[in-house]
PDB file of all heavy atoms in Angstrom:
ATOM      1  N   THR A   1       0.837  -1.205  -0.002  1.00 86.00           N
ATOM      2  CA  THR A   1       0.002   0.001   0.000  1.00 86.00           C
ATOM      3  C   THR A   1       0.868   1.252  -0.003  1.00 86.00           C
ATOM      4  O   THR A   1       0.600   2.206  -0.745  1.00 86.00           O
ATOM      5  CB  THR A   1      -0.941   0.004   1.231  1.00 86.00           C
ATOM      6  OG1 THR A   1      -1.742  -1.176   1.209  1.00 86.00           O
ATOM      7  CG2 THR A   1      -1.842   1.231   1.227  1.00 86.00           C
ATOM      8  N   GLU A   2       1.907   1.252   0.790  1.00 88.00           N
ATOM      9  CA  GLU A   2       2.813   2.400   0.876  1.00 88.00           C
ATOM     10  C   GLU A   2       3.485   2.660  -0.474  1.00 88.00           C
ATOM     11  O   GLU A   2       3.563   3.813  -0.923  1.00 88.00           O
ATOM     12  CB  GLU A   2       3.879   2.122   1.949  1.00 88.00           C
ATOM     13  CG  GLU A   2       4.596   3.370   2.419  1.00 88.00           C
ATOM     14  CD  GLU A   2       5.543   3.066   3.567  1.00 88.00           C
ATOM     15  OE1 GLU A   2       5.065   2.576   4.611  1.00 88.00           O
ATOM     16  OE2 GLU A   2       6.745   3.318   3.400  1.00 88.00           O
ATOM     17  N   LYS A   3       3.938   1.609  -1.137  1.00 88.00           N
ATOM     18  CA  LYS A   3       4.576   1.755  -2.456  1.00 88.00           C
ATOM     19  C   LYS A   3       3.571   2.284  -3.491  1.00 88.00           C
ATOM     20  O   LYS A   3       3.903   3.144  -4.301  1.00 88.00           O
ATOM     21  CB  LYS A   3       5.137   0.413  -2.940  1.00 88.00           C
ATOM     22  CG  LYS A   3       6.308  -0.091  -2.131  1.00 88.00           C
ATOM     23  CD  LYS A   3       7.560   0.674  -2.471  1.00 88.00           C
ATOM     24  CE  LYS A   3       8.746   0.076  -1.755  1.00 88.00           C
ATOM     25  NZ  LYS A   3       9.795   1.033  -1.520  1.00 88.00           N
ATOM     26  N   LEU A   4       2.363   1.762  -3.429  1.00 89.00           N
ATOM     27  CA  LEU A   4       1.334   2.224  -4.362  1.00 89.00           C
ATOM     28  C   LEU A   4       0.970   3.687  -4.098  1.00 89.00           C
ATOM     29  O   LEU A   4       0.757   4.461  -5.031  1.00 89.00           O
ATOM     30  CB  LEU A   4       0.089   1.335  -4.275  1.00 89.00           C
ATOM     31  CG  LEU A   4       0.256  -0.103  -4.776  1.00 89.00           C
ATOM     32  CD1 LEU A   4      -1.029  -0.882  -4.567  1.00 89.00           C
ATOM     33  CD2 LEU A   4       0.690  -0.150  -6.226  1.00 89.00           C
ATOM     34  N   GLU A   5       0.891   4.059  -2.822  1.00 88.00           N
ATOM     35  CA  GLU A   5       0.613   5.465  -2.479  1.00 88.00           C
ATOM     36  C   GLU A   5       1.724   6.379  -2.997  1.00 88.00           C
ATOM     37  O   GLU A   5       1.442   7.475  -3.484  1.00 88.00           O
ATOM     38  CB  GLU A   5       0.460   5.624  -0.963  1.00 88.00           C
ATOM     39  CG  GLU A   5      -0.855   5.131  -0.431  1.00 88.00           C
ATOM     40  CD  GLU A   5      -0.989   5.240   1.082  1.00 88.00           C
ATOM     41  OE1 GLU A   5       0.044   5.239   1.779  1.00 88.00           O
ATOM     42  OE2 GLU A   5      -2.129   5.325   1.542  1.00 88.00           O
ATOM     43  N   GLU A   6       2.953   5.928  -2.899  1.00 88.00           N
ATOM     44  CA  GLU A   6       4.075   6.722  -3.425  1.00 88.00           C
ATOM     45  C   GLU A   6       3.927   6.919  -4.931  1.00 88.00           C
ATOM     46  O   GLU A   6       4.120   8.031  -5.444  1.00 88.00           O
ATOM     47  CB  GLU A   6       5.406   6.035  -3.122  1.00 88.00           C
ATOM     48  CG  GLU A   6       5.831   6.124  -1.668  1.00 88.00           C
ATOM     49  CD  GLU A   6       7.077   5.285  -1.359  1.00 88.00           C
ATOM     50  OE1 GLU A   6       7.799   4.893  -2.311  1.00 88.00           O
ATOM     51  OE2 GLU A   6       7.325   5.028  -0.165  1.00 88.00           O
ATOM     52  N   ALA A   7       3.550   5.853  -5.632  1.00 89.00           N
ATOM     53  CA  ALA A   7       3.344   5.961  -7.088  1.00 89.00           C
ATOM     54  C   ALA A   7       2.219   6.934  -7.406  1.00 89.00           C
ATOM     55  O   ALA A   7       2.352   7.791  -8.291  1.00 89.00           O
ATOM     56  CB  ALA A   7       3.047   4.583  -7.677  1.00 89.00           C
ATOM     57  N   VAL A   8       1.114   6.819  -6.675  1.00 89.00           N
ATOM     58  CA  VAL A   8      -0.033   7.709  -6.904  1.00 89.00           C
ATOM     59  C   VAL A   8       0.341   9.157  -6.599  1.00 89.00           C
ATOM     60  O   VAL A   8      -0.060  10.065  -7.314  1.00 89.00           O
ATOM     61  CB  VAL A   8      -1.270   7.240  -6.097  1.00 89.00           C
ATOM     62  CG1 VAL A   8      -2.372   8.281  -6.116  1.00 89.00           C
ATOM     63  CG2 VAL A   8      -1.780   5.912  -6.634  1.00 89.00           C
ATOM     64  N   MET A   9       1.122   9.380  -5.569  1.00 90.00           N
ATOM     65  CA  MET A   9       1.549  10.756  -5.241  1.00 90.00           C
ATOM     66  C   MET A   9       2.414  11.333  -6.358  1.00 90.00           C
ATOM     67  O   MET A   9       2.317  12.530  -6.673  1.00 90.00           O
ATOM     68  CB  MET A   9       2.290  10.789  -3.896  1.00 90.00           C
ATOM     69  CG  MET A   9       1.383  10.587  -2.680  1.00 90.00           C
ATOM     70  SD  MET A   9      -0.083  11.658  -2.631  1.00 90.00           S
ATOM     71  CE  MET A   9       0.653  13.242  -2.359  1.00 90.00           C
ATOM     72  N   ILE A  10       3.237  10.510  -6.982  1.00 90.00           N
ATOM     73  CA  ILE A  10       4.035  10.975  -8.129  1.00 90.00           C
ATOM     74  C   ILE A  10       3.099  11.341  -9.279  1.00 90.00           C
ATOM     75  O   ILE A  10       3.251  12.385  -9.916  1.00 90.00           O
ATOM     76  CB  ILE A  10       5.061   9.892  -8.554  1.00 90.00           C
ATOM     77  CG1 ILE A  10       6.155   9.779  -7.482  1.00 90.00           C
ATOM     78  CG2 ILE A  10       5.670  10.219  -9.919  1.00 90.00           C
ATOM     79  CD1 ILE A  10       7.068   8.575  -7.652  1.00 90.00           C
ATOM     80  N   TRP A  11       2.094  10.495  -9.538  1.00 90.00           N
ATOM     81  CA  TRP A  11       1.118  10.793 -10.590  1.00 90.00           C
ATOM     82  C   TRP A  11       0.375  12.091 -10.291  1.00 90.00           C
ATOM     83  O   TRP A  11       0.163  12.902 -11.175  1.00 90.00           O
ATOM     84  CB  TRP A  11       0.107   9.665 -10.728  1.00 90.00           C
ATOM     85  CG  TRP A  11       0.660   8.351 -11.168  1.00 90.00           C
ATOM     86  CD1 TRP A  11       1.870   8.118 -11.753  1.00 90.00           C
ATOM     87  CD2 TRP A  11       0.024   7.084 -11.063  1.00 90.00           C
ATOM     88  NE1 TRP A  11       2.029   6.787 -12.000  1.00 90.00           N
ATOM     89  CE2 TRP A  11       0.905   6.114 -11.597  1.00 90.00           C
ATOM     90  CE3 TRP A  11      -1.198   6.653 -10.570  1.00 90.00           C
ATOM     91  CZ2 TRP A  11       0.596   4.764 -11.660  1.00 90.00           C
ATOM     92  CZ3 TRP A  11      -1.505   5.307 -10.628  1.00 90.00           C
ATOM     93  CH2 TRP A  11      -0.623   4.372 -11.175  1.00 90.00           C
ATOM     94  N   ILE A  12      -0.024  12.251  -9.029  1.00 91.00           N
ATOM     95  CA  ILE A  12      -0.749  13.461  -8.623  1.00 91.00           C
ATOM     96  C   ILE A  12       0.107  14.697  -8.908  1.00 91.00           C
ATOM     97  O   ILE A  12      -0.377  15.688  -9.469  1.00 91.00           O
ATOM     98  CB  ILE A  12      -1.165  13.373  -7.144  1.00 91.00           C
ATOM     99  CG1 ILE A  12      -2.316  12.363  -6.979  1.00 91.00           C
ATOM    100  CG2 ILE A  12      -1.562  14.744  -6.591  1.00 91.00           C
ATOM    101  CD1 ILE A  12      -2.668  12.029  -5.532  1.00 91.00           C
ATOM    102  N   LYS A  13       1.363  14.619  -8.550  1.00 91.00           N
ATOM    103  CA  LYS A  13       2.272  15.756  -8.774  1.00 91.00           C
ATOM    104  C   LYS A  13       2.389  16.051 -10.272  1.00 91.00           C
ATOM    105  O   LYS A  13       2.333  17.210 -10.688  1.00 91.00           O
ATOM    106  CB  LYS A  13       3.646  15.431  -8.174  1.00 91.00           C
ATOM    107  CG  LYS A  13       4.622  16.568  -8.231  1.00 91.00           C
ATOM    108  CD  LYS A  13       5.935  16.188  -7.564  1.00 91.00           C
ATOM    109  CE  LYS A  13       6.940  17.325  -7.709  1.00 91.00           C
ATOM    110  NZ  LYS A  13       8.251  16.973  -7.235  1.00 91.00           N
ATOM    111  N   GLN A  14       2.538  15.009 -11.079  1.00 90.00           N
ATOM    112  CA  GLN A  14       2.672  15.187 -12.527  1.00 90.00           C
ATOM    113  C   GLN A  14       1.389  15.742 -13.141  1.00 90.00           C
ATOM    114  O   GLN A  14       1.430  16.632 -13.992  1.00 90.00           O
ATOM    115  CB  GLN A  14       3.041  13.851 -13.185  1.00 90.00           C
ATOM    116  CG  GLN A  14       4.447  13.394 -12.851  1.00 90.00           C
ATOM    117  CD  GLN A  14       4.724  11.959 -13.318  1.00 90.00           C
ATOM    118  OE1 GLN A  14       3.801  11.156 -13.502  1.00 90.00           O
ATOM    119  NE2 GLN A  14       6.006  11.645 -13.495  1.00 90.00           N
ATOM    120  N   ILE A  15       0.256  15.239 -12.703  1.00 90.00           N
ATOM    121  CA  ILE A  15      -1.026  15.706 -13.239  1.00 90.00           C
ATOM    122  C   ILE A  15      -1.263  17.164 -12.840  1.00 90.00           C
ATOM    123  O   ILE A  15      -1.721  17.970 -13.656  1.00 90.00           O
ATOM    124  CB  ILE A  15      -2.186  14.804 -12.777  1.00 90.00           C
ATOM    125  CG1 ILE A  15      -2.062  13.425 -13.442  1.00 90.00           C
ATOM    126  CG2 ILE A  15      -3.543  15.434 -13.086  1.00 90.00           C
ATOM    127  CD1 ILE A  15      -2.998  12.369 -12.882  1.00 90.00           C
ATOM    128  N   ARG A  16      -0.937  17.506 -11.604  1.00 89.00           N
ATOM    129  CA  ARG A  16      -1.072  18.906 -11.176  1.00 89.00           C
ATOM    130  C   ARG A  16      -0.229  19.822 -12.060  1.00 89.00           C
ATOM    131  O   ARG A  16      -0.655  20.913 -12.426  1.00 89.00           O
ATOM    132  CB  ARG A  16      -0.649  19.058  -9.713  1.00 89.00           C
ATOM    133  CG  ARG A  16      -1.737  18.691  -8.762  1.00 89.00           C
ATOM    134  CD  ARG A  16      -1.479  19.245  -7.365  1.00 89.00           C
ATOM    135  NE  ARG A  16      -2.570  18.843  -6.505  1.00 89.00           N
ATOM    136  CZ  ARG A  16      -2.433  18.181  -5.376  1.00 89.00           C
ATOM    137  NH1 ARG A  16      -1.224  17.847  -4.947  1.00 89.00           N
ATOM    138  NH2 ARG A  16      -3.475  17.847  -4.654  1.00 89.00           N
ATOM    139  N   GLN A  17       0.970  19.367 -12.389  1.00 89.00           N
ATOM    140  CA  GLN A  17       1.861  20.158 -13.242  1.00 89.00           C
ATOM    141  C   GLN A  17       1.240  20.364 -14.626  1.00 89.00           C
ATOM    142  O   GLN A  17       1.268  21.465 -15.166  1.00 89.00           O
ATOM    143  CB  GLN A  17       3.228  19.459 -13.362  1.00 89.00           C
ATOM    144  CG  GLN A  17       4.263  20.254 -14.125  1.00 89.00           C
ATOM    145  CD  GLN A  17       4.612  21.570 -13.445  1.00 89.00           C
ATOM    146  OE1 GLN A  17       4.648  21.675 -12.231  1.00 89.00           O
ATOM    147  NE2 GLN A  17       4.864  22.588 -14.241  1.00 89.00           N
ATOM    148  N   VAL A  18       0.654  19.314 -15.179  1.00 88.00           N
ATOM    149  CA  VAL A  18      -0.015  19.423 -16.484  1.00 88.00           C
ATOM    150  C   VAL A  18      -1.162  20.424 -16.405  1.00 88.00           C
ATOM    151  O   VAL A  18      -1.323  21.279 -17.286  1.00 88.00           O
ATOM    152  CB  VAL A  18      -0.531  18.037 -16.958  1.00 88.00           C
ATOM    153  CG1 VAL A  18      -1.458  18.173 -18.150  1.00 88.00           C
ATOM    154  CG2 VAL A  18       0.634  17.115 -17.286  1.00 88.00           C
ATOM    155  N   LEU A  19      -1.945  20.348 -15.338  1.00 87.00           N
ATOM    156  CA  LEU A  19      -3.072  21.279 -15.175  1.00 87.00           C
ATOM    157  C   LEU A  19      -2.589  22.720 -15.018  1.00 87.00           C
ATOM    158  O   LEU A  19      -3.155  23.637 -15.619  1.00 87.00           O
ATOM    159  CB  LEU A  19      -3.934  20.876 -13.977  1.00 87.00           C
ATOM    160  CG  LEU A  19      -4.818  19.658 -14.193  1.00 87.00           C
ATOM    161  CD1 LEU A  19      -5.396  19.161 -12.875  1.00 87.00           C
ATOM    162  CD2 LEU A  19      -5.947  19.977 -15.178  1.00 87.00           C
ATOM    163  N   VAL A  20      -1.551  22.923 -14.237  1.00 86.00           N
ATOM    164  CA  VAL A  20      -1.010  24.279 -14.025  1.00 86.00           C
ATOM    165  C   VAL A  20      -0.496  24.835 -15.354  1.00 86.00           C
ATOM    166  O   VAL A  20      -0.793  25.978 -15.715  1.00 86.00           O
ATOM    167  CB  VAL A  20       0.113  24.262 -12.950  1.00 86.00           C
ATOM    168  CG1 VAL A  20       0.920  25.542 -12.982  1.00 86.00           C
ATOM    169  CG2 VAL A  20      -0.487  24.049 -11.568  1.00 86.00           C
ATOM    170  N   GLU A  21       0.257  24.029 -16.087  1.00 84.00           N
ATOM    171  CA  GLU A  21       0.798  24.483 -17.367  1.00 84.00           C
ATOM    172  C   GLU A  21      -0.307  24.788 -18.369  1.00 84.00           C
ATOM    173  O   GLU A  21      -0.198  25.726 -19.155  1.00 84.00           O
ATOM    174  CB  GLU A  21       1.760  23.441 -17.949  1.00 84.00           C
ATOM    175  CG  GLU A  21       3.074  23.387 -17.206  1.00 84.00           C
ATOM    176  CD  GLU A  21       3.969  22.232 -17.646  1.00 84.00           C
ATOM    177  OE1 GLU A  21       3.651  21.555 -18.644  1.00 84.00           O
ATOM    178  OE2 GLU A  21       4.986  22.005 -16.972  1.00 84.00           O
ATOM    179  N   SER A  22      -1.384  24.027 -18.326  1.00 83.00           N
ATOM    180  CA  SER A  22      -2.473  24.249 -19.276  1.00 83.00           C
ATOM    181  C   SER A  22      -3.217  25.554 -19.002  1.00 83.00           C
ATOM    182  O   SER A  22      -3.836  26.112 -19.907  1.00 83.00           O
ATOM    183  CB  SER A  22      -3.454  23.083 -19.260  1.00 83.00           C
ATOM    184  OG  SER A  22      -4.259  23.115 -18.104  1.00 83.00           O
ATOM    185  N   GLU A  23      -3.142  26.028 -17.782  1.00 80.00           N
ATOM    186  CA  GLU A  23      -3.841  27.273 -17.429  1.00 80.00           C
ATOM    187  C   GLU A  23      -2.965  28.515 -17.549  1.00 80.00           C
ATOM    188  O   GLU A  23      -3.452  29.623 -17.383  1.00 80.00           O
ATOM    189  CB  GLU A  23      -4.401  27.172 -16.007  1.00 80.00           C
ATOM    190  CG  GLU A  23      -5.548  26.186 -15.879  1.00 80.00           C
ATOM    191  CD  GLU A  23      -6.704  26.503 -16.816  1.00 80.00           C
ATOM    192  OE1 GLU A  23      -7.079  27.676 -16.958  1.00 80.00           O
ATOM    193  OE2 GLU A  23      -7.225  25.546 -17.431  1.00 80.00           O
ATOM    194  N   GLN A  24      -1.686  28.329 -17.824  1.00 74.00           N
ATOM    195  CA  GLN A  24      -0.798  29.484 -17.926  1.00 74.00           C
ATOM    196  C   GLN A  24      -1.085  30.256 -19.213  1.00 74.00           C
ATOM    197  O   GLN A  24      -1.568  29.700 -20.196  1.00 74.00           O
ATOM    198  CB  GLN A  24       0.665  29.037 -17.890  1.00 74.00           C
ATOM    199  CG  GLN A  24       1.088  28.568 -16.518  1.00 74.00           C
ATOM    200  CD  GLN A  24       2.519  28.035 -16.510  1.00 74.00           C
ATOM    201  OE1 GLN A  24       3.092  27.745 -17.536  1.00 74.00           O
ATOM    202  NE2 GLN A  24       3.070  27.896 -15.322  1.00 74.00           N
ATOM    203  N   MET A  25      -0.749  31.521 -19.199  1.00 68.00           N
ATOM    204  CA  MET A  25      -0.924  32.371 -20.368  1.00 68.00           C
ATOM    205  C   MET A  25      -0.094  31.825 -21.519  1.00 68.00           C
ATOM    206  O   MET A  25       1.042  31.427 -21.330  1.00 68.00           O
ATOM    207  CB  MET A  25      -0.477  33.805 -20.063  1.00 68.00           C
ATOM    208  CG  MET A  25      -1.468  34.601 -19.253  1.00 68.00           C
ATOM    209  SD  MET A  25      -2.964  34.961 -20.161  1.00 68.00           S
ATOM    210  CE  MET A  25      -2.382  36.161 -21.324  1.00 68.00           C
ATOM    211  N   ARG A  26      -0.670  31.830 -22.691  1.00 73.00           N
ATOM    212  CA  ARG A  26       0.059  31.382 -23.887  1.00 73.00           C
ATOM    213  C   ARG A  26       0.866  32.555 -24.431  1.00 73.00           C
ATOM    214  O   ARG A  26       0.370  33.670 -24.518  1.00 73.00           O
ATOM    215  CB  ARG A  26      -0.919  30.925 -24.962  1.00 73.00           C
ATOM    216  CG  ARG A  26      -1.631  29.662 -24.624  1.00 73.00           C
ATOM    217  CD  ARG A  26      -2.501  29.248 -25.781  1.00 73.00           C
ATOM    218  NE  ARG A  26      -3.823  29.837 -25.625  1.00 73.00           N
ATOM    219  CZ  ARG A  26      -4.721  29.953 -26.580  1.00 73.00           C
ATOM    220  NH1 ARG A  26      -4.455  29.530 -27.781  1.00 73.00           N
ATOM    221  NH2 ARG A  26      -5.898  30.484 -26.339  1.00 73.00           N
ATOM    222  N   ARG A  27       2.082  32.252 -24.807  1.00 77.00           N
ATOM    223  CA  ARG A  27       2.889  33.259 -25.486  1.00 77.00           C
ATOM    224  C   ARG A  27       2.759  33.006 -26.981  1.00 77.00           C
ATOM    225  O   ARG A  27       3.130  31.946 -27.463  1.00 77.00           O
ATOM    226  CB  ARG A  27       4.349  33.160 -25.047  1.00 77.00           C
ATOM    227  CG  ARG A  27       4.566  33.677 -23.636  1.00 77.00           C
ATOM    228  CD  ARG A  27       5.987  33.334 -23.176  1.00 77.00           C
ATOM    229  NE  ARG A  27       6.214  33.507 -21.764  1.00 77.00           N
ATOM    230  CZ  ARG A  27       5.679  32.787 -20.788  1.00 77.00           C
ATOM    231  NH1 ARG A  27       4.810  31.844 -21.071  1.00 77.00           N
ATOM    232  NH2 ARG A  27       5.978  33.003 -19.530  1.00 77.00           N
ATOM    233  N   GLU A  28       2.188  33.978 -27.661  1.00 78.00           N
ATOM    234  CA  GLU A  28       1.929  33.810 -29.088  1.00 78.00           C
ATOM    235  C   GLU A  28       2.460  35.015 -29.849  1.00 78.00           C
ATOM    236  O   GLU A  28       2.583  36.103 -29.305  1.00 78.00           O
ATOM    237  CB  GLU A  28       0.434  33.676 -29.347  1.00 78.00           C
ATOM    238  CG  GLU A  28      -0.189  32.469 -28.671  1.00 78.00           C
ATOM    239  CD  GLU A  28      -1.697  32.439 -28.754  1.00 78.00           C
ATOM    240  OE1 GLU A  28      -2.339  33.492 -28.632  1.00 78.00           O
ATOM    241  OE2 GLU A  28      -2.222  31.336 -28.938  1.00 78.00           O
ATOM    242  N   ALA A  29       2.731  34.796 -31.103  1.00 79.00           N
ATOM    243  CA  ALA A  29       3.165  35.899 -31.959  1.00 79.00           C
ATOM    244  C   ALA A  29       2.047  36.930 -32.037  1.00 79.00           C
ATOM    245  O   ALA A  29       0.867  36.592 -31.934  1.00 79.00           O
ATOM    246  CB  ALA A  29       3.510  35.373 -33.346  1.00 79.00           C
TER     247      ALA A  29
END
């Protein structure tokens, strides 16, 4: 369970990063 929780926490961190990046202002020409 502890190992699986560690894996899920890594996924959570990665998914949060994807969500944060998707909401950032786009730099466009």
Side-chain angles (χ1 to χ4, degrees):
T1 302
E2 197 175 301
K3 292 285 185 206
L4 292 177
E5 284 178 335
E6 286 173 17
V8 169
M9 288 309 291
I10 290 169
W11 296 344
I12 287 171
K13 185 178 177 187
Q14 291 170 337
I15 291 170
R16 277 198 180 124
Q17 185 63 35
V18 168
L19 286 168
V20 165
E21 287 172 9
S22 75
E23 291 303 317
Q24 288 176 344
M25 283 292 288
R26 291 184 270 163
R27 287 171 193 68
E28 298 172 321

